[in-house]
Amino acid sequence: MEKLSNNQIAWRAAQDIADGAYVNLGIGFPEKVAQFQPDGREAIFHTENGLLGFGQAPEAGSEDWDLINAGKKAVTLKPGAAFFHHADSFAMVRGSHLDVAILGAYEVAENGDLANWSTGPKGVPAVGGAMDLVHGAKRVAVITDHVTKKGQPKLVKRCSLPLTGVGCVTRVYTSLAVIDIENGRFVLREKLPGLSLEDLQAVTGAELLVPGAVADLVVPEV
Amino acid sequence: MEKLSNNQIAWRAAQDIADGAYVNLGIGFPEKVAQFQPDGREAIFHTENGLLGFGQAPEAGSEDWDLINAGKKAVTLKPGAAFFHHADSFAMVRGSHLDVAILGAYEVAENGDLANWSTGPKGVPAVGGAMDLVHGAKRVAVITDHVTKKGQPKLVKRCSLPLTGVGCVTRVYTSLAVIDIENGRFVLREKLPGLSLEDLQAVTGAELLVPGAVADLVVPEV
Amino acid sequence: MDKTVSDLATAVAGIEDGMTVMIGGFGGSGSPIELIHALIDRYRETGHPKDLVVINNNAGNGHVGLAALIEAGMVHKLICSFPRSADPVVFTEMYLAGGIELELVPQGTLAERIRAGGAGIPAFYTPSSYGTDLAKDKPVAEFDGRMYVQERWLKADVALVKADTADTFGNLTYRMAARNFNPLMCMAASEAIVQASRIVDAGGIDPEVVVTPGIFVQKVVEVADPLQEEDLNRANAAYSLEA
Amino acid sequence: MDKTVSDLATAVAGIEDGMTVMIGGFGGSGSPIELIHALIDRYRETGHPKDLVVINNNAGNGHVGLAALIEAGMVHKLICSFPRSADPVVFTEMYLAGGIELELVPQGTLAERIRAGGAGIPAFYTPSSYGTDLAKDKPVAEFDGRMYVQERWLKADVALVKADTADTFGNLTYRMAARNFNPLMCMAASEAIVQASRIVDAGGIDPEVVVTPGIFVQKVVEVADPLQEEDLNRANAAYSLEA
């Protein structure tokens, strides 16, 4: 089945970020969203470790290891940046000051539950700021492949993995579709033009509502 | 009856402030304590409105009304001062970072209760930071005349006026004596040399314990 | 992105009847007098906004700033810690006549409730006011053998804030003890409206010395050489007479 | 008053077996490596302190700093949000072998619990972790129709902190994102021990730009040109081998 690349999923998510928005991008895949900001729109990126207004990575060899993001990667400063301590940083998160948080997912359920921090009791557990972000930002979106590497649905009726948050996700950008979560149901908004509704439903673990026109999910090569 | 002046009471209280102590002085009479710091000892004064390390009032006409204390009086800065917002200021108070708070009183009870914010339901009530200070500083001391203007005891068995705090005061400096509060009882530590124990007890509203030697309360003319 | 608005009237144009308005300052220091007066101007012209709930540490002094707002009859209820001042006649008379409600809150609890509103903390426990009249009807709980009072967050529709320098992103610094409640109120209000003595481009404030990050600020308006309440009161100014 | 101490060994001399020690930093940035290594030196010489409870956002990286402290066997329990790193082998192996306890706390809750400890707030409510395994056995409550988890303050006997500039009164500034947990830990510990790149006289830091007021700091020691964990790990340094 044809599907979007991770870059393309990130590109699509970036199109929904307004000029002047305050945005937190989860560690890893979601960080890609910053690369695809539409021209003329300026988003201000927040990182949990106490910085608003950071920019892209510096050139290798010119890193300053006091200037990093939550993924411990070196970043740079943009004009208008500000430093603050961790309690103020999570006041921004918990106090609903972020416009959007974009996170990865193991599973997203139709009731908005998210599982993205633990695959079970094996190994060393680690949660970071995920449980704060899901209850803080005005809009919590997920970017993810539509299915697992084994082909199993990641959009499910109820999460089977340990939850990160309850009823928190409102939009999911996948490799096949854009799906909103409304009133405890998946609502299809966009799908790849070559993909039938039946085929999409077949790889989705809960019913997709189609209340109106479904737009074509068209993304440039990026 | 001979008694100490307000300046002398403040002088006595100042002798118990260690070098390097962080101190909050209540509005009004307690502010006098700052004038009597012993030579060679440096106390750092905190004011609720977001300043550590202020000094005496500027000359009239050279006030800066952005640089005031909790009594809204103009102050000056000493080297090593710091500004901060109100939540941080009361974190210092509530979090037991102040070494001592010295407050005025309408009544102090032998169980350590303090009444110093309201004389009853008439008029406009106002509390300020008093209820925070009494539960925050490591040591809460009171300076006060030993009796009211009508001659009634201010040191009492139980407060009759609305409470500022429960079981919070540990030492009282009065115009006649220095009294500790221990295990819910007044313990006499110092009294004016010319004053008999009986006469002191007669103007005190609860029993004074005298577990050991009572020192003479000797204060210079100030 | 540019959060600058052109003038005071525009800055306060969105404040509606019945809103909760936090006003920064401790007495006169840090009080956004020009924003308050712009709000009074609007009320005189349009009859709105009225029935405001105002959160401030005090209740105004003399006949300018917050006192003038109360005198104009725009304030339904005041939440504060210390409604006394050198010249408290406006609030005192209205309160004793039953013309304004008062919720009295210990100062540290007031600051922490506002900070909690900004930080997404709906309730917390404090030792302050335990066993006093101000804790009446509030839940209490014991932790580690000591009793505490449960207090709720305070939020507002709007905050009126006085800063020293703002940049176009809304990053702020303050001047000396004029900081006080202002940074907390920026956090706790849906819309923080800031008057600043100067506005600079983004990048014009060192990121290390920003006190209020721009994420907490929605509008900034420049008011060079702002008035000081204390100076006005020493000159016996009255905003009602100036209008 | 002068809070300066002459050297690192003196700075950490009072830390005893079983103490709770907050250690600043987020990963390597803001990590007080020299103070940690001084503590390891003392343990090698005297066998103390051991059985420490350490509070840090992470669990160390490579074989320096916090990882070396854990590797030395001095840490009984770790309270953190993210015990993973580029090279987490020290903690991972010890944890999986049952040699160290872990209390996992969401990062924002960790920060707020430490701030609460410093601010005298014994408990507060947060939406974070509600309905998840990390809220198991914690009290919950509803406010305004939404569910929240009650969390308790965190305090410590000692905090090890990295600052940029300190004055002799203990006023501090930090360098960029090395600020992170450091100011909070100064507040929440009975004794905040600070290494600073430079120490200046009282008055040497503008009162407007102080991040941590000196009231929260008990000892400062100068460590010019402090090591960066990231640089050490890229050079495959191991503190055990250097000793």
Side-chain angles (χ1 to χ4, degrees), chain A residues 48-49 64-66 68 70 72 83 85-87 90 94 117 124-128 131-132 135 163-164 166, chain D residues 29 58 81-84 104 107-109 112 126-128 132 146 175-177 179-181 184 228 230-231 234:
Chain A
E48 292 94 311
N49 54 314
D64 184 324
W65 297 111
D66 284 341
I68 61 174
K72 278 97 176 177
F83 294 111
H85 61 51
H86 246 85
F90 280 90
R94 209 190 298 103
W117 76 281
V124 177
V127 67
M131 287 190 183
D132 307 283
H135 287 298
L163 293 184
T164 307
V166 171
Chain D
S29 74
N58 304 99
S81 90
F82 204 79
R84 286 192 202 137
L104 194 70
Q107 195 172 130
T109 299
E112 191 68 11
T126 174
S128 302
T132 76
R146 192 172 171 192
R175 186 167 179 274
M176 300 200 282
R179 190 180 302 194
N180 56 63
F181 284 90
L184 308 173
Q228 281 282 11
E230 185 75 24
D231 292 328
R234 288 179 177 230

Side-chain angles (χ1 to χ4, degrees), chain B residues 105-162:
Chain B
Y106 298 139
E107 293 175 327
V108 184
E110 65 176 354
N111 60 1
D113 290 0
L114 174 67
N116 80 345
W117 76 281
S118 171
T119 53
K122 273 183 65 173
V124 176
V127 65
M131 287 191 183
D132 307 283
L133 284 164
V134 296
H135 287 299
K138 290 171 191 157
R139 191 162 76 81
V140 176
V142 158
I143 59 173
T144 180
D145 206 312
H146 201 86
V147 297
T148 67
K149 282 178 184 160
K150 294 181 177 172
Q152 295 303 307
K154 297 183 77 166
L155 280 68
V156 296
K157 193 132 185 76
R158 290 293 178 269
C159 292
S160 62
L161 292 170

Side-chain angles (χ1 to χ4, degrees), chain A residues 41 44 99 168 221:
Chain A
R41 287 195 227 160
I44 296 167
D99 293 294
C168 51
E221 292 299 324

Side-chain angles (χ1 to χ4, degrees), chain B residues 2 31 72 97 111 136 154 171 188 202 213:
Chain B
E2 200 182 344
E31 292 179 49
K72 279 96 175 177
H97 302 283
N111 60 1
K154 297 183 77 166
R171 175 164 272 208
L188 182 64

